[in-house]
Amino acid sequence: DSGVTQTPKHLITATGQRVTLRCSPRSGDLSVYWYQQSLDQGLQFLIQYYNGEERAKGNILERFSAQQFPDLHSELNLSSLELGDSALYFCASSPHPETRGEKLFFGSGTQLSVL
Amino acid sequence: GESVGLHLPTLSVQEGDNSIINCAYSNSASDYFIWYKQESGKGPQFIIDIRSNMDKRQGQRVTVLLNKTVKHLSLQIAATQPGDSAVYFCAENEDDKIIFGKGTRLHILP
């Protein structure tokens, strides 16, 4: 158990809908990262937050947004869902990113199926 | 596009043999590299990391080699066991973003 909690584990929805994925980082970790993993694909970096502030942005669509709350949990909002958004979404946390290069602790992921 | 990638999508190894998983990266400014293991139905799990001021680092049954000249990274697993069956990802720190390659599936033959 990595200590990172993601909910829900599975989510089935329809095209055009909006969903929210939730992540609780390890106790004490200030950084949260979101990744998307499609079938036979690697992990695509979406966005990173540190202590409530956006720190780095990757290939995140404009239909997607995220935030990190004062209690350090994070939410990833996916709107106007398309079939191609079906994927496994991972959250990871790390203590602090000041030291360049730090290992990430991943949750078990949320499997999103858009029908 | 991605700056890291794996040479082979699938690697089959006899149980007890050593496994070598390779990775190429393109960003010569990258100074931190990590290997992750992802078992079926689970999130990636940290295996070992290496900074660019080193060319080799050893862990328990695993060794990471870094060749900055040719921008190549490898993961060696000694005495491969059934529990090593997983997808292995290399990743690099690029502008404070941890960028992953596509992964290599390690298949253990009995």
Side-chain angles (χ1 to χ4, degrees):
Chain A
D1 183 10
S2 67
V4 178
T5 304
Q6 288 188 249
T7 57
K9 290 193 183 303
H10 302 277
L11 199 49
I12 301 174
T13 188
T15 55
Q17 295 298 304
R18 182 180 189 274
V19 297
T20 298
L21 282 53
R22 194 178 192 279
C23 171
S24 293
R26 292 189 322 156
S27 178
D29 283 1
L30 300 178
S31 272
V32 169
Y33 301 73
W34 286 99
Y35 285 85
Q36 179 193 60
Q37 185 175 38
S38 303
L39 196 63
D40 295 330
Q41 292 293 312
L43 290 122
Q44 300 290 322
F45 171 71
L46 296 178
I47 198 163
Q48 180 206 348
Y49 281 83
Y50 172 68
N51 204 19
E53 300 290 325
E54 182 183 305
R55 185 179 175 96
K57 214 167 186 177
N59 300 321
I60 187 167
L61 300 172
E62 285 191 9
R63 300 184 286 109
F64 296 179
S65 65
Q67 54 184 324
Q68 186 179 26
F69 295 87
D71 67 353
L72 300 176
H73 91 270
S74 178
E75 292 181 355
L76 178 66
N77 301 296
L78 314 176
S79 62
S80 302
L81 284 168
E82 301 174 0
L83 296 176
D85 297 328
S86 295
L88 197 50
Y89 291 84
F90 283 106
C91 168
S93 74
S94 65
H96 51 76
E98 286 90 2
T99 303
R100 186 170 170 80
E102 189 171 47
K103 63 183 180 183
L104 306 181
F105 295 87
F106 282 82
S108 297
T110 292
Q111 179 67 58
L112 174 66
S113 298
V114 182
L115 306 178
Chain B
E2 292 182 304
S3 63
V4 290
L6 278 297
H7 290 305
L8 296 172
T10 303
L11 177 66
S12 295
V13 175
Q14 206 76 38
E15 182 179 346
D17 287 353
N18 296 336
S19 302
I20 300 176
I21 302 172
N22 295 304
C23 179
Y25 64 96
S26 58
N27 189 345
S28 56
S30 295
D31 58 4
Y32 178 66
F33 304 88
I34 321 104
W35 281 99
Y36 284 88
K37 172 186 180 183
Q38 186 177 21
E39 296 175 283
S40 181
K42 297 183 179 180
Q45 181 182 14
F46 172 89
I47 301 173
I48 192 168
D49 58 1
I50 188 168
R51 295 194 183 273
S52 60
N53 60 354
M54 303 172 68
D55 53 21
K56 181 179 180 179
R57 191 165 188 217
Q58 288 184 290
Q60 189 174 14
R61 279 202 309 118
V62 293
T63 301
V64 55
L65 299 177
L66 176 63
N67 185 331
K68 295 181 286 294
T69 303
V70 295
K71 291 185 280 189
H72 182 268
L73 192 68
S74 70
L75 176 71
Q76 299 179 2
I77 305 173
T80 310
Q81 303 169 357
D84 295 327
S85 180
V87 177
Y88 290 80
F89 294 96
C90 64
E92 68 170 330
N93 187 322
E94 181 181 301
D95 297 327
D96 292 326
K97 291 177 271 190
I98 306 297
I99 304 298
F100 284 74
K102 290 193 184 301
T104 291
R105 182 174 300 280
L106 180 61
H107 178 61
I108 313 304
L109 302 170

